[in-house]
Amino acid sequence: DAEITQSPRHKITETGRQVTLACHQTWNHNNMFWYRQDLGHGLRLIHYSYGVQDTNKGEVSDGYSVSRSNTEDLPLTLESAASSQTSVYFCASSESGTSDGTDTQYFGPGTRLTVL
Amino acid sequence: GQQVMQIPQYQHVQEGEDFTTYCNSSTTLSNIQWYKQRPGGHPVFLIQLVKSGEVKKQKRLTFQFGEAKKNSSLHITATQTTDVGTYFCAGDSLWQAGTALIFGKGTTLSVSS
């Protein structure tokens, strides 16, 4: 069955370190998204991609970067981790056409990141 | 910028009571989606509403999309402990490049038996 996976599921790192969170989907979806979830803030969009080589900034993109070299993967990199980036990170994908990310989104299980 | 607001933020009910969460957008939406997230889990798609005034039902859950397509509601009849979780609405938003969903902050439902 098609699925979307994230790794690692839990990560503890130190301030200033570079961290990469992996997201892999086998739906063959064009669109992929990264969100962070914090108490009281709901889901906030970090970066999104409508296809290979396409990446775009979301609401809270500062300190994060993504790259899309193939359909299946959208890794999220924290260039220099900060304590404010302690959060639960969700990756999602949707099928839609280009420049339209409003189809049903399928979420991965999440990565809990702690920055000390 | 565009906002999607949900109320209430938290709701506690006794099992068997009804529950309603409301979602309001600052702009007209082309569609609205609802997701449920169980404690410790990830958001899972429930339904999408597209038409003005649309009403859809899933067993004990009733979803409505307002006539102006700026608000929506989710009503659960006779709640059960399995309904516990956070319910999010999400509407389309025009971002810097194309459109994407913007999520409300969610309503967290707790149910006591």
Side-chain angles (χ1 to χ4, degrees), chain A residues 9 33 35 37 39-43 45 48 50 56-59 90 99-110, chain B residues 9-10 30-31 33 35 37 40-45 48 88 92-93 95-106:
Chain A
R9 295 294 311 278
F33 309 86
Y35 297 90
Q37 185 173 38
L39 200 61
H41 289 279
L43 293 161
L45 185 64
Y48 57 105
Y50 292 129
N56 307 287
K57 295 182 179 180
E59 180 186 1
F90 287 102
S99 301
D100 181 0
T102 58
D103 268 5
T104 301
Q105 293 194 7
Y106 298 86
F107 283 78
Chain B
Q9 188 174 2
Y10 300 98
S30 62
N31 68 80
Q33 299 179 23
Y35 291 77
Q37 183 178 23
H42 59 276
V44 175
F45 173 79
Q48 181 180 56
F88 293 97
D92 58 296
S93 175
W95 292 89
Q96 191 172 13
T99 56
L101 291 177
I102 180 168
F103 283 80
K105 293 184 178 180

Side-chain angles (χ1 to χ4, degrees), chain A residues 6-23:
Chain A
Q6 293 183 236
S7 62
R9 295 294 311 278
H10 302 271
K11 175 77 175 178
I12 300 174
T13 191
E14 295 177 343
T15 301
R17 291 190 180 266
Q18 184 182 77
V19 177
T20 296
L21 308 183
C23 176

Side-chain angles (χ1 to χ4, degrees), chain A:
Chain A
D1 288 345
E3 60 177 357
I4 180 166
T5 57
Q6 293 183 236
S7 62
R9 295 294 311 278
H10 302 271
K11 175 77 175 178
I12 300 174
T13 191
E14 295 177 343
T15 301
R17 291 190 180 266
Q18 184 182 77
V19 177
T20 296
L21 308 183
C23 176
H24 179 81
Q25 53 98 1
T26 59
W27 296 97
N28 200 35
H29 285 165
N30 289 323
N31 304 332
M32 295 185 73
F33 309 86
W34 273 104
Y35 297 90
R36 60 177 289 174
Q37 185 173 38
D38 306 286
L39 200 61
H41 289 279
L43 293 161
R44 292 185 291 175
L45 185 64
I46 305 172
H47 281 284
Y48 57 105
S49 168
Y50 292 129
V52 177
Q53 302 301 330
D54 177 75
T55 61
N56 307 287
K57 295 182 179 180
E59 180 186 1
V60 290
S61 61
D62 287 349
Y64 303 94
S65 64
V66 293
S67 61
R68 187 90 180 270
S69 58
N70 59 55
T71 301
E72 296 79 17
D73 300 288
L74 187 70
L76 177 71
T77 297
L78 286 68
E79 304 294 344
S80 177
S83 58
S84 60
Q85 294 177 308
T86 292
S87 186
V88 179
Y89 291 86
F90 287 102
C91 178
S93 70
S94 70
E95 183 173 9
S96 194
T98 56
S99 301
D100 181 0
T102 58
D103 268 5
T104 301
Q105 293 194 7
Y106 298 86
F107 283 78
T111 294
R112 184 173 296 275
L113 176 68
T114 302
V115 183
L116 301 175

Side-chain angles (χ1 to χ4, degrees), chain B residues 38-57:
Chain B
R38 294 182 186 277
H42 59 276
V44 175
F45 173 79
L46 292 177
I47 208 160
Q48 181 180 56
L49 304 173
V50 179
K51 299 177 183 177
S52 170
E54 189 170 12
V55 178
K56 285 188 176 180
K57 292 189 176 184

